[in-house]
């Protein structure tokens, strides 16, 4: 019988929770994997090519690289560790034959680790485990290994998945070992374990071509680039192939370029065989999940299944009086084209039209998933306005259902009371609580997704960064109860103009302000907040009148309090249903959906809500 395995290749997905050292481990593999030239300076976080990834310290986009060891090319598939980007995991996991589960020697397995491991088991990949950060003084290696074994007993779908190798590493110090007592060396033991544990990819190179597209890219010179794995057959340059779409349509194209991965680079080759991960150009109009097949025998591969989004918000054309001053792309056509383009690569995103041609409903996996899209678009010189995130609800048997999540928190004991009070007002149900020896308390809650909107900012302020939290979708359940509001009212500019110190001092007599002197404001713009309910219209452009007894600037500077500055996520969590966030490349402005003070009063009198 013919052996249809490609022994010169291993396809390995690396999965881990956020901040468990996955990107640092890949750095070590690339540096010791015969892919970098002598004296080449590459720095750290090599795989985090997106600026937002480096700023936030998380992997957002799944990426491909390769290393060489013992005459074998190891294709590395880097996957996000945050559940909000789980769509990236779902679309690339089917390219792998094995997965490396990376677990922190202090934290142990986390909820989002559970999610990506479940995806790996559903794709029937062979697992191996690496316990990272064993050099930390507080490392609890034996206990964490036991936790991993319990996780595998719970998650495994086959008995073979329980037979996995365990290695121990310090990615920062670039060594791996099979003995946790060893604290030096290199990554050779890990390379050897990959070759022994991960099976070579299967596929008959003489069979009709079948390649599943799992990622898309674009090159200004080459056009659309399709990335995926060849399951059967051989790709050859200038061959005519059939593109089988998710909708059942078939088109014919010619392969213009074929690339394989060497380190972080793409190297052009004349052909590629079954089992390899490649990038090709030529086919146009490709979508993730499409099959590139033989023209003579076009058979489609199973479509990539993607879970549904749970959080939505509206993206609309900016109606601000200041529109066009900061950005370049401001029209509904620009906005629609950009969101449509995002759908081609961001498979867990959904975009729906509304009765207004200038407003679109965008749904994603979580608040972070959508905020990353907003931040990306503003860096691309877009100006638009967005609403507060809300859960994606379903109507089942005449009753409204909403998404629920499992929230895990690890925080110091002195913060537990404040966190518990907040979560209890957001309909969270305590499932488990345990006290650790290091003064931290581990808590598990079941909470509706709408109760988590804005929790991240509150958690960071409360714990002062000394805490860990994670959440993952669990189920849809009937919508019941109201979320306790943490916000009072807002200060709304009653007139447009330029904010002056005297006007801001009057505003600070009512509450906190969000802008500084010299800022341009317009009627309906939110310039501050106060503790009581209801909105207060205030003129921050009002100047102090001159008299023969006093100066316009006397005692002003020392009386002006500090301005409250909010991040993008904090701004999204702050706004209410009748408010919007104006997003530009240079500014984030809070505003009322209806800018006219007179029209807002008329709508309140008639009981009309003003959200899009």
């Amino acid at each position: 019988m013919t052996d249809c395995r490609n022994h010169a290749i291993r396809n390995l997905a690396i999965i881990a929770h956020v901040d468990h050292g996955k990107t640092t481990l890949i750095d070590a593999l690339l540096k010791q994997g015969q892919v970098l030239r002598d004296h080449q300076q590459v720095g750290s976080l090599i795989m985090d090519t997106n600026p937002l990834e480096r700023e936030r310290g998380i992997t957002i986009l799944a990426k491909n690289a390769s290393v060489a060891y013992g005459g074998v090319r190891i294709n590395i598939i880097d996957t996000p560790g945050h559940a909000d980007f789980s769509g990236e995991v779902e679309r690339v996991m089917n390219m792998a034959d094995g997965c490396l589960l990376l677990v922190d020697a202090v934290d142990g397995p986390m909820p989002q680790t559970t999610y990506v491991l479940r995806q790996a088991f559903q794709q029937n990949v062979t697992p191996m485990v690496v316990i990272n950060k064993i050099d930390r003084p507080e490392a609890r290696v034996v206990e964490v290994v036991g936790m991993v074994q319990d996780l595998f007993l719970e998650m495994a779908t086959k008995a073979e998945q329980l037979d996995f190798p365990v290695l121990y590493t310090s990615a920062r110090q670039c060594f791996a070992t099979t003995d946790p007592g060893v604290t030096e060396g290199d990554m050779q033991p890990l390379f050897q374990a990959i070759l022994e544990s991960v099976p070579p990819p299967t596929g008959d190179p003489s069979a009709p071509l079948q390649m599943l597209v799992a990622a898309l890219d674009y090159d200004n010179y080459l056009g659309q680039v399709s990335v995926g794995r060849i399951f059967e057959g051989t790709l050859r340059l200038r061959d005519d192939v059939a593109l089988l779409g998710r909708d059942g349509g078939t088109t014919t194209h010619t392969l213009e370029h074929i690339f394989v991965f060497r380190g972080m680079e793409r190297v052009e080759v004349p052909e590629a065989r079954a089992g390899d991960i490649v990038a090709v150009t030529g086919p146009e109009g490709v979508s993730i999940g499409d099959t590139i097949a033989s023209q003579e025998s076009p058979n489609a591969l199973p479509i990539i299944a993607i879970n549904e989004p749970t959080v939505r918000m509206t993206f609309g054309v900016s109606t601000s009086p200041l529109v066009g001053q900061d950005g370049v792309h401001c029209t509904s056509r620009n906005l629609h084209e950009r969101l449509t383009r995002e759908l081609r690569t961001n498979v867990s995103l959904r975009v729906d039209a509304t009765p207004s041609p200038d407003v679109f409903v965008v749904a994603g996996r979580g608040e972070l998933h959508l905020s990353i899209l907003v931040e990306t678009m503003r860096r691309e010189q877009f100006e638009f306005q967005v609403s507060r995130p809300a859960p994606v609800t379903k109507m089942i048997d005449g009753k409204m259902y909403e998404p629920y999540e499992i929230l895990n928190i690890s925080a110091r004991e002195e913060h537990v009371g404040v966190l518990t009070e907040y979560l209890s007002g957001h309909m969270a149900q305590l499932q488990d609580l345990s006290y650790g020896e290091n003064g931290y308390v581990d808590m598990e809650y079941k909470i509706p997704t709408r109760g988590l909107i804005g929790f991240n900012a509150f958690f960071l302020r409360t714990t002062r960064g000394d805490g860990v939290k994670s959440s993952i979708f669990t189920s849809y359940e009937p919508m019941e109860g109201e979320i306790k509001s943490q916000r009072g009212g807002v200060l709304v500019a009653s007139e447009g103009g330029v904010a002056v110190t005297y006007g801001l001092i009057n505003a600070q007599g009512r509450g906190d302000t969000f802008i500084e002197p010299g800022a341009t404001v317009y009627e309906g713009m939110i310039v501050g907040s106060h503790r009581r309910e209801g909105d207060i219209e205030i003129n921050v452009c009002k100047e102090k009148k001159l008299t023969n007894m006093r100066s316009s600037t006397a005692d002003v500077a020392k009386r002006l309090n500090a301005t409250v500055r909010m991040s993008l996520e904090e701004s999204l969590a702050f706004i209410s249903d009748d408010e919007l966030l104006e997003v530009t490349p240079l500014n984030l402005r809070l505003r009322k959906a209806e800018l006219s003070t007179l029209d807002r009063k008329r709508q309140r009198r008639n009981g009309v809500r003003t959200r899009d």
Side-chain angles (χ1 to χ4, degrees):
M1 184 176 178
T2 304
D3 187 358
C4 292
R5 294 180 296 176
N6 192 338
H7 292 273
I9 295 175
R10 299 291 189 276
N11 295 324
L12 178 71
I14 301 183
I15 57 180
H17 183 76
V18 176
D19 201 33
H20 279 200
K22 174 172 54 64
T23 304
T24 307
L25 178 70
I26 296 177
D27 285 354
L29 293 175
L30 290 172
K31 290 174 181 177
Q32 298 186 25
Q34 305 172 23
V35 298
L36 302 177
R37 296 182 295 273
D38 293 338
H39 310 298
Q40 182 178 356
Q41 300 295 322
V42 293
S44 60
L45 305 180
I46 302 171
M47 290 289 278
D48 283 350
T49 54
N50 187 308
L52 279 175
E53 293 179 319
R54 288 181 172 268
E55 291 176 16
R56 295 171 180 258
I58 59 175
T59 299
I60 298 173
L61 303 174
K63 292 175 283 293
N64 298 88
S66 76
V67 297
Y69 180 80
V72 176
R73 179 153 45 87
I74 303 172
N75 288 320
I76 297 175
I77 305 166
D78 184 20
T79 63
H82 199 290
D84 280 19
F85 308 107
S86 53
E88 296 286 310
V89 178
E90 292 164 1
R91 70 175 174 82
V92 301
M93 192 59 72
N94 55 24
M95 292 195 293
D97 298 292
C99 72
L100 188 156
L101 176 63
L102 189 69
V103 181
D104 191 300
V106 178
D107 295 339
M110 302 293 282
Q112 291 166 13
T113 308
T114 303
Y115 177 84
V116 291
L117 183 61
R118 180 183 293 114
Q119 294 295 321
F121 282 160
Q122 289 176 356
Q123 295 295 332
N124 197 30
V125 300
T126 302
M128 58 186 300
V129 174
V130 171
I131 308 298
N132 191 31
K133 304 184 183 181
I134 64 171
D135 56 318
R136 293 179 62 180
E138 61 270 33
R140 43 178 188 150
V141 175
V142 176
E143 184 178 349
V144 167
V145 170
M147 296 166 67
V148 171
Q149 291 172 340
D150 292 341
L151 177 63
F152 271 69
L153 283 171
E154 178 185 348
M155 302 292 299
T157 58
K158 296 182 179 180
E160 296 80 11
Q161 293 170 336
L162 298 176
D163 184 19
F164 55 88
V166 179
L167 284 89
Y168 310 90
T169 66
S170 170
R172 179 172 293 180
Q173 297 186 16
C174 297
F175 75 84
T177 176
T178 56
D179 180 2
V182 176
T183 57
E184 60 182 9
D186 54 25
M187 303 303 293
Q188 302 304 315
L190 180 55
F191 282 122
Q192 191 63 38
I194 292 173
L195 297 191
E196 295 173 355
S197 303
V198 178
T202 60
D204 185 357
S206 61
L209 174 65
Q210 283 185 307
M211 170 185 164
L212 184 64
V213 178
L216 295 175
D217 198 358
Y218 187 83
D219 186 278
N220 290 331
Y221 298 100
L222 304 177
Q224 188 173 45
V225 181
S226 305
V227 181
R229 172 175 168 173
I230 306 172
F231 283 86
E232 298 286 350
T234 301
L235 277 174
R236 294 185 178 88
L237 203 60
R238 310 307 302 175
D239 273 1
D240 290 331
V241 296
L243 176 64
L244 310 179
R246 297 170 66 101
D247 56 359
T250 302
T251 54
T252 302
H253 305 268
T254 300
L255 292 176
E256 298 178 354
H257 297 87
I258 303 173
F259 300 92
V260 294
F261 293 91
R262 297 287 188 270
M264 289 291 296
E265 298 177 352
R266 295 173 181 168
V267 178
E268 189 167 4
V269 295
E271 67 174 34
R273 303 172 58 195
D276 210 344
I277 296 174
V278 299
V280 301
T281 66
E284 294 292 334
V286 185
S287 298
I288 290 175
D290 290 354
T291 299
I292 296 176
S294 166
Q295 191 175 12
E296 294 76 21
S297 181
N299 295 316
L301 290 163
I303 296 175
I304 299 174
I306 302 296
N307 289 337
E308 297 180 3
T310 57
V311 176
R312 62 177 175 84
M313 54 197 292
T314 62
F315 283 55
V317 175
S318 177
T319 56
S320 163
L322 305 180
V323 63
Q325 295 187 9
D326 295 344
V328 176
H329 311 296
C330 310
T331 67
S332 59
R333 180 180 60 83
N334 295 145
L335 183 62
H336 181 261
E337 288 178 352
R338 178 61 182 85
L339 293 175
T340 302
R341 188 166 73 249
E342 185 71 20
L343 287 176
R344 303 183 70 178
T345 56
N346 199 337
V347 294
S348 54
L349 201 71
R350 299 288 184 273
V351 177
D352 296 315
T354 68
S356 170
D358 295 334
V359 180
F360 306 91
V361 176
V362 181
R365 284 293 179 82
E367 188 179 2
L368 179 61
H369 185 200
L370 295 177
S371 68
I372 289 292
L373 174 60
V374 173
E375 180 63 32
T376 301
M377 290 176 60
R378 72 182 293 223
R379 295 186 182 203
E380 295 173 357
Q381 301 299 306
F382 278 84
E383 283 194 37
F384 55 102
Q385 58 193 29
V386 296
S387 68
R388 176 182 171 87
V392 175
T393 57
K394 294 181 178 180
M395 188 67 71
I396 303 176
D397 297 330
K399 192 168 186 179
M400 189 70 72
Y401 279 66
E402 66 175 332
Y404 270 72
E405 301 188 33
I406 296 296
L407 171 67
N408 288 83
I409 295 174
S410 178
R412 290 196 173 275
E413 190 171 348
E414 59 263 30
H415 301 143
V416 171
V418 179
L419 293 173
T420 301
E421 181 181 3
Y422 178 96
L423 291 171
S424 63
H426 287 66
M427 299 179 60
Q429 307 165 19
L430 183 64
Q431 306 280 340
D432 190 22
L433 184 145
S434 60
Y435 289 83
E437 299 178 356
N438 53 3
Y440 284 80
V441 180
D442 296 327
M443 296 171 284
E444 180 178 295
Y445 288 90
K446 184 177 181 181
I447 183 171
T449 298
R450 59 189 167 116
L452 280 176
I453 294 173
F455 176 65
N456 184 59
F458 176 84
F459 181 79
L460 291 175
R461 288 196 306 270
T462 301
T463 63
R464 300 178 181 87
D466 190 11
V468 178
K469 75 168 188 68
S470 60
S471 62
I472 188 168
F473 169 77
T474 177
S475 62
Y476 269 85
E477 298 188 11
M479 177 179 281
E480 298 175 351
E482 294 290 334
I483 299 296
K484 181 181 177 182
S485 175
Q486 298 290 315
R487 198 192 87 162
V490 293
L491 306 178
V492 184
S494 59
E495 295 183 14
V498 177
V500 297
T501 304
Y502 183 72
L504 290 174
I505 290 176
N506 291 334
Q508 289 185 348
R510 304 290 187 93
D512 299 320
T513 54
F514 300 156
I515 60 173
E516 295 180 345
T520 303
V521 300
Y522 51 82
E523 182 184 4
M525 179 174 164
I526 297 174
V527 297
S529 65
H530 63 94
R531 296 183 178 274
R532 298 181 180 181
E533 292 185 3
D535 301 337
I536 299 176
E537 275 78 24
I538 194 162
N539 183 10
V540 293
C541 305
K542 181 179 180 181
E543 297 184 2
K544 184 177 182 180
K545 300 300 182 182
L546 291 174
T547 69
N548 59 353
M549 297 295 295
R550 61 184 67 186
S551 167
S552 63
T553 57
D555 300 326
V556 164
K558 64 181 181 181
R559 295 168 53 192
L560 194 60
N561 298 329
T563 301
V564 176
R565 295 187 176 276
M566 290 189 287
S567 65
L568 172 61
E569 286 82 3
E570 289 173 329
S571 299
L572 290 173
F574 179 84
I575 57 178
S576 62
D577 289 346
D578 65 336
E579 297 164 0
L580 298 169
L581 174 64
E582 179 192 350
V583 180
T584 79
L586 302 179
N587 295 288
L588 296 172
R589 300 187 185 98
L590 307 178
R591 50 159 289 180
K592 287 293 182 179
E594 177 55 65
L595 295 179
S596 169
T597 303
L598 183 62
D599 289 343
R600 287 199 308 275
K601 290 180 179 179
R602 184 180 299 113
Q603 289 176 344
R604 283 197 298 269
R605 188 164 53 247
N606 297 332
V608 177
R609 299 173 70 96
T610 58
R611 182 174 178 172
D612 287 322

